[in-house]
Amino acid sequence: MVVFWDGFEKDLRDFEKYLKQYFDEHFEDGEFKKVVGYSLIDIGGKRVRPLLLIKTALSAGANCQSIYNLAVALECIHTYSLIHDDLPSMDNDTYRRGFLSVHAKYGEALAVLSGDALLNFAYEVLFDAALDNQSRKAAKIIADFAGHKGMIKGQVLDLSLVKSQYQDEKEYIFQVHLNKTAALIRAAVNAGAIIANVDEKELSKLDEFACNMGMCFQVYDDISDYQTDQNKYTYPKVFGLENSLKEAQKYKEKSKKALDGLENKYPHLLQMISKFGPEMF
């Protein structure tokens, strides 16, 4: 498995410690806490989005507690989306990262409610983070990208619930990826930059990087899925494996290009996108 954060192990340890401590101190004790913590803490994940936010904010010169609160909220939103994505009414996945998905372990009702709880908990955390004007702007951008104009829009499209509004299949898949996957990656990078109060030109370049990074991430993820299940609706299922590899590489190069002039300030961004490839999943 690709290690995304070579050289940033301390950042990962610091975030894990903060996440566990914050969850333990602020989430009401009881049996339900164990259900919610199963996905957020026990199964865990790569923590790509919160670490993108933290490293971007620190690289841009921010130095405040709100950075970690924003990162916790973002990871809660991401985790809730995975819990709901696995539900029988959606992707109907029994396993997540080699562990039983929440609905398979605890039942569908608790899975729905644990996802709901994490989403609401995320906004409690965002309110705690919104201590100044820049923190409020960063919290708002996370909420925007996570909602009906971003991640949720992508999930609706992915389930083909409103597919008829797109006549072109490539545009349809682009919109799925742009919203379902790229939205939270854009939220991470944008929020980190906003809390550091970077100028509009720099913010625009960082958003372009994040957008293309998210698209690259999802095409490679589709390629990985296609290699194990060629019947699943994926980019290579529609456009072929060779075209998909070319498309992923195109997004990777565009992402790197967006960082022209910013490589020394944001080396972690260049490092991460450089690791992207078919072997990452």
Side-chain angles (χ1 to χ4, degrees):
M1 184 181 77
V2 174
V3 179
F4 288 97
W5 296 102
D6 287 344
F8 299 115
E9 291 83 1
K10 182 179 183 300
D11 300 284
L12 179 58
R13 289 196 302 271
D14 288 347
F15 175 70
E16 289 286 0
K17 181 179 178 181
Y18 190 86
L19 174 65
K20 291 173 184 176
Q21 183 176 330
Y22 194 97
F23 179 71
D24 189 56
E25 291 178 356
H26 292 82
F27 205 96
E28 185 178 18
D29 287 333
E31 288 299 310
F32 186 54
K33 184 176 184 178
K34 295 178 183 177
V35 179
V36 177
Y38 173 69
S39 279
L40 182 66
I41 306 296
D42 299 342
I43 293 179
K46 300 181 185 75
R47 311 303 193 196
V48 170
R49 293 152 191 83
L51 285 172
L52 274 174
L53 191 157
I54 291 166
K55 293 298 295 182
T56 301
L58 294 177
S59 296
N63 184 21
C64 58
Q65 192 62 57
S66 295
I67 296 171
Y68 275 83
N69 283 18
L70 290 167
V72 168
L74 187 58
E75 187 67 0
C76 287
I77 291 170
H78 175 58
T79 304
Y80 112 78
S81 74
L82 299 181
I83 294 172
H84 283 187
D85 197 37
D86 288 338
L87 289 169
S89 59
M90 297 181 77
D91 281 359
N92 194 24
D93 286 323
T94 305
Y95 288 91
R96 168 72 61 180
R97 302 184 185 118
F99 294 86
L100 285 172
S101 55
V102 179
H103 76 85
K105 186 175 178 68
Y106 294 106
E108 188 172 355
L110 279 175
V112 171
L113 291 169
S114 64
D116 293 345
L118 276 171
L119 176 58
N120 281 275
F121 187 60
Y123 288 102
E124 292 175 36
V125 182
L126 286 179
F127 277 116
D128 282 345
L131 303 175
D132 54 47
N133 190 47
Q134 291 309 118
S135 298
R136 285 192 290 273
K137 287 181 180 178
K140 176 67 163 55
I141 204 74
I142 290 173
D144 285 346
F145 276 121
H148 69 96
K149 294 178 288 186
M151 184 188 68
I152 292 176
K153 176 183 177 180
Q155 186 65 40
V156 170
L157 289 171
D158 193 36
L159 293 169
S160 299
L161 299 178
V162 293
K163 185 178 178 180
S164 59
Q165 73 186 63
Y166 294 96
Q167 302 303 314
D168 181 73
E169 188 129 44
K170 187 171 184 178
E171 175 62 19
Y172 167 70
I173 293 180
F174 173 80
Q175 288 296 327
V176 172
H177 291 184
L178 179 67
N179 290 283
K180 185 178 180 183
T181 301
L184 286 194
I185 290 175
R186 293 174 71 190
V189 174
N190 276 269
I194 287 169
I195 202 170
N197 199 24
V198 305
D199 63 41
E200 288 298 321
K201 182 179 179 180
E202 186 169 321
L203 183 62
S204 178
K205 294 183 75 171
L206 289 169
D207 182 56
E208 184 180 353
F209 162 84
C211 183
N212 283 288
M213 177 187 178
M215 297 298 294
C216 180
F217 187 103
Q218 188 57 58
V219 175
Y220 277 132
D221 191 32
D222 272 14
I223 291 169
S224 177
D225 286 343
Y226 180 74
Q227 290 170 341
T228 57
D229 182 3
Q230 295 190 2
N231 292 316
K232 187 174 181 180
Y233 187 78
T234 58
Y235 204 98
K237 170 75 172 175
V238 179
F239 300 109
L241 184 58
E242 185 177 346
N243 285 334
S244 298
L245 288 166
K246 289 179 180 178
E247 194 76 359
Q249 186 63 30
K250 180 187 77 174
Y251 285 125
K252 184 176 181 177
E253 293 307 314
K254 288 173 72 173
S255 193
K256 288 181 177 180
K257 178 93 175 143
L259 291 178
D260 284 354
L262 297 174
E263 304 94 328
N264 293 332
K265 187 173 183 179
Y266 300 102
H268 68 288
L269 297 181
L270 191 60
Q271 173 185 314
M272 176 172 272
I273 192 63
S274 296
K275 287 178 177 288
F276 276 30
E279 73 285 352
M280 64 187 289
F281 294 98

